[in-house]
């Protein structure tokens, strides 16, 4: 069982929604320091000030950081380690669901996939035991939309499937020397601003997306944050977790591995 007490944590997309709720949960768990990265400076600073009142000045720091800017993102990770001696946990949570035109699709891919991969690789470098770190954990935020095919949100769904594939592949790579766990969480529909901001590629797709969404249970961001604490405590390398409908986190690694084996069997059969 892993313990969050005295850990140094970086959370991306921490100003709002699931990220902000996760920050609140882990402060209650006794982390040493949490660094909030986001492009939303106003809300991030307000959250920092509120949390400093409650937990003390050194516990929380907001840094304006666009995760698609490698220079900014890597510096923020390096600074978190430099200022606190080590880095224990990175949560790649920043994400968007806005795919209304080609430029937005490109941006979505940069935020949801490229930055998440780059951040993971940089954090492994800073955490790895065989290079002066003390091991650590990376939690990548995926979605139920990465498990199922959400046609009207084809880029979002693709991006969240990519998060799962990347996490499984990189997380399975032997980590004896690094002592870094990489895991992912598939989040069900959750009441946050992303739902208001989402746009699909066509109006028809928007209508279809609304229909799909309205037929599914909506959970609170606090439930997701709680579930992410549970997966931090219990998860193994490359483990995949599901948090939906306000239920406790449920590990689904075995089910996904079984689906993978079935896919391999199909390929062998065709050979
Ligand atoms: N809300 C849901 O239904 C739901 C379901 C499944 C997965 N998710 C995932 O959860 C994560 C958090 O989303 P949320 O629901 O809390 O939405 P949100 O919009 O409330 O929060 C997302 C945060 O990411 C930040 N962000 C966006 N682009 C950024 C960038 N380039 N650099 C740094 N920060 C950036 C935003 O400013 C915002 O604070 C996302 O990855 C999302 O895909 C959400
Ligand atoms: C179909 C449109 C979904 C729009 C969602 C917008 C933002 C983020 C959403 C989440 O990541 C969820 C993504 C897809 C939801 C699709 C099906 C919901 C199934 C939910 C459930 O069974 O719990």
């Amino acid at each position: 069982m892993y313990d969050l007490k005295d850990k140094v944590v970086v959370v991306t997309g921490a100003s709002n929604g699931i990220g902000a709720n996760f920050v609140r949960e882990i402060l209650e768990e006794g982390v040493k320091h949490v660094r909030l990265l986001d492009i939303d400076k106003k809300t991030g600073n307000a959250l920092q000030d509120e949390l400093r009142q409650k937990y003390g000045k050194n516990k929380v720091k907001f840094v304006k950081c666009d995760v698609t800017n490698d220079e900014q993102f890597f510096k923020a990770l390096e600074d978190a380690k430099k200022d606190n001696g080590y880095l224990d946990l990175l949560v790649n949570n920043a994400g968007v669901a806005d795919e209304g035109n080609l430029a937005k699709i490109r941006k979505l891919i940069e935020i949801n996939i490229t930055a998440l991969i780059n951040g993971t690789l940089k954090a492994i470098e800073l955490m790895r035991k065989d290079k002066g770190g003390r091991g650590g954990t990376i939690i990548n935020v995926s979605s139920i939309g990465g498990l199922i095919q959400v046609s009207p949100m084809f880029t979002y769904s693709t991006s969240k499937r990519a998060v799962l594939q990347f996490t499984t592949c990189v997380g399975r790579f032997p980590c004896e020397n690094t002592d870094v766990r990489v895991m992912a969480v598939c989040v069900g529909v959750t009441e946050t601003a992303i739902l208001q901001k989402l746009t699909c590629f066509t109006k028809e797709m928007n209508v279809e997306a609304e229909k799909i969404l309205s037929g599914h249970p909506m959970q609170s961001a606090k439930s997701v944050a709680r579930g992410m604490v549970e997966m931090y405590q219990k998860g193994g390398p490359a483990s995949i977790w599901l948090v939906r409908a306000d239920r406790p986190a449920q590990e689904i690694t075995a089910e996904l591995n079984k689906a993978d084996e079935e896919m391999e069997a199909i390929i062998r059969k065709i050979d």
Side-chain angles (χ1 to χ4, degrees):
M1 183 105 159
Y2 291 79
D3 192 348
L4 278 158
K5 195 160 171 30
D6 294 328
K7 297 295 185 291
V8 175
V9 184
V10 174
V11 181
T12 72
S15 291
N16 299 285
I18 293 166
N21 275 270
F22 183 71
V23 168
R24 291 179 189 280
E25 285 295 322
I26 63 173
L27 283 163
E28 285 297 305
E29 294 287 323
V31 292
K32 176 178 170 182
H33 179 85
V34 57
R35 203 141 284 200
L36 283 53
L37 311 187
D38 208 297
I39 47 172
D40 182 350
K41 192 174 167 187
K42 195 168 165 232
T43 319
N45 273 325
L47 182 61
Q48 170 197 269
D49 295 347
E50 180 209 320
L51 296 173
R52 280 182 171 180
Q53 293 273 343
K54 187 164 177 195
Y55 297 97
K57 186 173 181 295
N58 295 331
K59 283 273 174 187
V60 189
K61 182 174 175 169
F62 171 75
V63 177
K64 184 172 185 289
C65 169
D66 180 343
V67 292
T68 66
N69 181 323
D70 284 349
E71 208 179 307
Q72 280 181 22
F73 193 10
F74 293 176
K75 183 173 184 311
L77 291 169
E78 281 164 1
D79 286 350
K81 179 173 174 175
K82 209 169 5 153
D83 296 347
N84 298 284
Y86 41 86
L87 172 64
D88 296 299
L89 169 63
L90 167 65
V91 182
N92 279 311
N93 165 73
V96 292
D98 188 3
E99 51 183 291
N101 59 47
L102 290 179
K104 286 178 176 176
I105 284 177
R106 186 181 292 274
K107 192 75 196 161
L108 186 155
I109 292 168
E110 268 185 48
I111 297 169
N112 292 13
I113 309 180
T114 313
L116 179 140
I117 292 176
N118 292 354
T120 300
L121 299 178
K122 181 67 187 178
I124 291 175
E125 187 188 306
L126 294 171
M127 289 172 178
R128 53 188 305 160
K129 230 176 184 167
D130 55 352
K131 299 260 169 77
R134 59 175 205 174
T137 304
I138 295 156
I139 296 179
N140 290 328
V141 177
S142 180
S143 161
I144 203 139
L147 293 171
I148 58 177
Q149 294 159 7
V150 190
S151 293
M153 294 199 66
F154 49 83
T155 318
Y156 182 79
S157 199
T158 301
S159 75
K160 293 302 182 181
R161 178 67 72 98
V163 170
L164 293 181
Q165 185 81 338
F166 169 69
T167 301
T168 303
C169 292
V170 85
R172 273 189 197 158
F173 203 77
C175 65
E176 296 90 53
N177 297 332
T178 63
D179 210 8
V180 179
R181 293 182 293 168
V182 190
M183 312 189 281
V185 58
C186 297
V187 176
V189 181
T190 308
E191 201 158 11
T192 70
I194 204 171
L195 300 178
Q196 271 79 59
K197 288 182 279 190
L198 96 101
T199 56
C200 302
F201 196 60
T202 65
K203 280 194 188 115
E204 292 74 17
M205 288 175 184
N206 269 333
V207 173
E208 194 53 35
E210 292 297 332
K211 257 196 249 164
I212 296 172
L213 264 183
S214 61
H216 287 280
M218 178 78 83
Q219 65 185 345
S220 72
K222 187 173 167 58
S223 295
V224 180
R226 205 50 240 153
M228 286 163 67
V229 168
E230 283 170 48
M231 70 178 277
Y232 175 87
Q233 291 166 337
K234 300 181 198 156
S239 61
I240 309 293
W241 295 75
L242 176 68
V243 184
R244 83 181 270 272
D246 286 314
R247 297 202 195 105
Q250 185 187 343
E251 184 170 4
I252 55 168
T253 319
E255 287 80 357
L256 294 184
N257 287 346
K258 191 159 176 277
D260 233 46
E261 280 161 23
E262 279 165 16
M263 194 63 83
E264 265 189 67
I266 292 170
I267 295 163
R268 264 186 255 113
K269 210 165 149 191
I270 293 168
D271 283 348

